[in-house]
Amino acid sequence: MTNRTRLITAVAGAVVLTLGLSGCVSAFMPQEAPSTSTPTGESVDAALEPFYSQVLKWNDCGEGMQCTTATAPLDYGDPSAGDVNLALVRHPATGGERVGSLLVNPGGPGASGYDIVKTSLDFVTDDTLQASFDVVGFDPRGVGRSSSVACYEPADMDEYLYGLTTAARGTDAWIAELEASSAAFGAACAANTGALLEHVDTESAARDLDLLRAVLGDAKLNYLGYSYGTYLGATFAELFPDKVGRLALDGALDPSTTNYEVTELQAKGFENALRAYLTDCLAGTDCAFRGSVDDSMATVSALLASVDVSPLTNSDGRQLGSNALLTAIIYPLYQQAAWPLLTTMFQSVMKNDATDAFQLADSYNGRQADGTYLDNSSEAFSAINCVDYAYNDDPAAMRAQAAEIEAAAPIIGKYMSFGDIGCANWPYTFTGERDEIHAQGAAPILVVGTTNDPATPYAWAESLSKQLDSGTLVTFQGEGHTAYNKGSQCVNDAVNNYLVKGIVPDADPMC
């Protein structure tokens, strides 16, 4: 028996391991800020004017935060077709020299910018940015507190994410099972979400960014985007180059990559991160592995294969198959600080205990101890990716690509292939082109890349910084997904000087 394939075709998961990071709010109290916004009053198409001229009323929502809701067109091609709501939270600038608003997106797609700002402000921004900007978190269309994608009740979501197939991985029967599961999921999303499901694409979300910029009263957009949020920010810059203020894009996604290329490079990235973890683990005293790194990689491979054949049963009755175990392995690889969690998980799995593996997989998927889901991030992740990329579920093509992915990442690649199945029969299809983004005429844009980032490989940061006509690269030589505010003063200085003062590095500081 094999675990059903979970789509890992674009930047997977949130920017930050949320384990133990809730409640991180700055000790500084915000200065007095207007309770209503003052839109820029700029000239826009008549059909968009009611949206661009709306006045936001900010309400106190605790811990120095203020919240509000903006309205955007469901379809920018036909603004009269209906509205969507966009939830925002603001931490007003704490210093005396306010630069403006700084919109923050933590990635995903599907991660909540509202939640990350409200509960973990100090993790995504430091005191310097909080002093100079009104830090604004928002949930993009389709996500969280905004008009959102809805698909399954918790029990059905459990089956979709964790359920086991009966056929052997890669066989025609296995593919047919996954196609049926994915088709049912897509149909449920369409039935429960309605017209919004067609309009959760990144271009529409980027147009929302411009609308939010204007109603917040900023002539130019100041933006800090992590992971998938870099693609959202770059898309904004391509659509509105004259509205670019200061855009910092950390953990960059290459806009020109195909779904297959994303999967292949991520498989290699996570495999490299797993090797780095095992190197560190073997140098310690409580490692679950013995021998060389290659020996340990072989042990991981054997563990994945063993639960594919004989899943481990959890205390709640769920069975741990290979894909759930892969999720548990991948999640702590996002940040080096979480590697001890991976050690504990491997130790327990080797004793046929699935508890720690399910805790990690559940954290990744937003599943709570009572079986409910914290948010709709998994559903939004699929819905946004399915309309942002082109997919092909031809078995021959998928098998050829699977062989290439496994050759590139022999341990992890096998379990990250066949990803097209999840979206190939989605109710709405991708109609654009994945192409380079140049943002001709835009002000300087900062791109930050980490050399051993498993989720958004460093090559993507290099590529995006070169594509952008005004791109500047800042390299962090280290481990983990994203680099700003993660311990490198060099990176923090580069990003803060750029966002606060508009100072662009003369050359890559190679932090």
Side-chain angles (χ1 to χ4, degrees):
M1 299 174 72
T2 59
N3 201 291
R4 67 164 308 282
T5 299
R6 178 165 187 255
L7 198 64
I8 313 179
T9 55
V11 179
V15 125
V16 48
L17 286 173
T18 55
L19 301 174
L21 293 175
S22 60
C24 300
V25 179
S26 173
F28 289 100
M29 292 303 295
Q31 64 182 27
E32 289 296 323
S35 60
T36 58
S37 70
T38 303
T40 58
E42 61 202 63
S43 178
V44 294
D45 290 344
L48 293 175
E49 196 279 332
F51 297 99
Y52 272 74
S53 63
Q54 66 186 295
V55 175
L56 303 179
K57 181 180 179 180
W58 293 98
N59 299 303
D60 183 355
C61 51
E63 297 182 334
M65 299 286 178
Q66 300 167 336
C67 303
T68 191
T69 301
T71 303
L74 171 69
D75 180 0
Y76 279 90
D78 182 10
S80 65
D83 302 342
V84 297
N85 292 326
L86 302 175
L88 298 94
V89 62
R90 176 176 73 170
H91 183 269
T94 60
E97 297 183 7
R98 176 184 176 275
V99 176
S101 300
L102 177 70
L103 276 77
V104 177
N105 181 277
S112 171
Y114 185 110
D115 287 347
I116 203 74
V117 167
K118 193 169 191 301
T119 67
S120 300
L121 178 66
D122 289 344
F123 196 81
V124 288
T125 59
D126 69 358
D127 292 344
T128 299
L129 294 187
Q130 293 168 30
S132 300
F133 290 97
D134 296 341
V135 180
V136 179
F138 65 100
D139 283 353
R141 56 175 57 215
V143 176
R145 291 173 174 79
S146 294
S147 297
S148 59
V149 172
C151 303
Y152 275 158
E153 292 298 318
D156 290 330
M157 199 66 189
D158 273 358
E159 178 61 27
Y160 181 68
L161 292 175
Y162 301 100
L164 304 178
T165 59
T166 59
R169 178 180 296 275
T171 63
D172 288 343
W174 180 80
I175 291 173
E177 286 189 60
L178 294 186
E179 286 179 331
S181 173
S182 297
F185 179 67
C189 294
N192 293 319
T193 305
L196 171 66
L197 194 66
E198 184 179 4
H199 300 286
V200 294
D201 57 285
T202 296
E203 181 175 328
S204 294
R207 294 188 183 278
D208 291 341
L209 269 181
D210 188 61
L211 171 62
L212 294 177
R213 170 200 60 76
V215 299
L216 289 169
D218 293 298
K220 307 279 187 178
L221 177 69
N222 299 313
Y223 176 82
L224 176 58
Y226 294 97
S227 197
Y228 160 82
T230 67
Y231 178 50
L232 177 58
T235 302
F236 169 88
E238 182 79 343
L239 294 172
F240 307 101
D242 58 325
K243 302 298 184 183
V244 170
R246 299 165 190 170
L247 271 60
L249 310 178
D250 185 3
L253 180 67
D254 183 346
S256 66
T257 52
T258 65
N259 165 59
Y260 164 70
E261 291 167 337
V262 166
T263 304
E264 181 184 33
L265 282 174
Q266 278 197 325
K268 292 170 65 176
F270 282 114
E271 188 125 335
N272 288 337
L274 180 59
R275 280 189 168 276
Y277 156 74
L278 289 171
T279 300
D280 181 79
C281 181
L282 290 167
T285 58
D286 62 347
C287 188
F289 300 90
R290 296 293 182 268
S292 68
V293 171
D294 285 342
D295 293 336
S296 301
M297 292 289 283
T299 300
V300 173
S301 179
L303 283 174
L304 288 164
S306 70
V307 297
D308 230 357
V309 176
S310 300
L312 301 180
T313 302
N314 195 39
S315 58
D316 61 4
R318 288 182 295 161
Q319 291 186 299
L320 182 76
S322 58
N323 282 85
L325 178 56
L326 181 70
T327 301
I329 293 170
I330 281 176
Y331 191 40
L333 292 176
Y334 274 87
Q335 298 294 340
Q336 188 171 358
W339 286 0
L341 299 175
L342 193 51
T343 296
T344 300
M345 188 276 292
F346 276 128
Q347 290 171 338
S348 62
V349 169
M350 288 178 181
K351 297 176 183 177
N352 296 320
D353 184 351
T355 303
D356 293 317
F358 269 112
Q359 285 180 348
L360 288 173
D362 287 348
S363 294
Y364 177 90
N365 290 321
R367 186 185 189 274
Q368 302 183 95
D370 63 0
T372 61
Y373 283 79
L374 184 64
D375 52 37
N376 77 327
S377 56
S378 291
E379 294 159 311
F381 175 82
S382 292
I384 295 169
N385 278 324
C386 285
V387 293
D388 266 359
Y389 289 89
Y391 297 89
N392 178 6
D393 65 346
D394 173 65
M398 285 193 296
R399 286 194 175 99
Q401 290 181 344
E404 293 176 0
I405 293 170
E406 189 169 354
I411 308 303
I412 285 179
K414 176 180 181 179
Y415 304 95
M416 290 182 66
S417 47
F418 293 90
D420 281 39
I421 295 174
C423 288
N425 297 301
W426 193 253
Y428 301 100
T429 58
F430 175 66
T431 57
E433 292 184 8
R434 299 290 302 204
D435 205 353
E436 293 185 354
I437 286 181
H438 301 290
Q440 184 177 5
I445 298 173
L446 205 66
V447 179
V448 183
T450 300
T451 53
N452 204 25
D453 185 326
T456 51
Y458 178 65
W460 292 348
E462 291 182 302
S463 179
L464 179 59
S465 66
K466 291 175 182 176
Q467 289 176 34
L468 292 166
D469 286 2
S470 59
T472 295
L473 180 63
V474 172
T475 299
F476 173 60
Q477 302 175 86
E479 301 286 337
H481 182 42
T482 75
Y484 175 70
N485 214 26
K486 306 297 187 298
S488 170
Q489 192 61 48
C490 173
V491 172
N492 286 8
D493 288 344
V495 173
N496 287 344
N497 285 335
Y498 165 74
L499 287 174
V500 176
K501 302 175 183 178
I503 298 173
V504 181
D506 294 331
D508 186 344
M510 297 300 293
C511 298

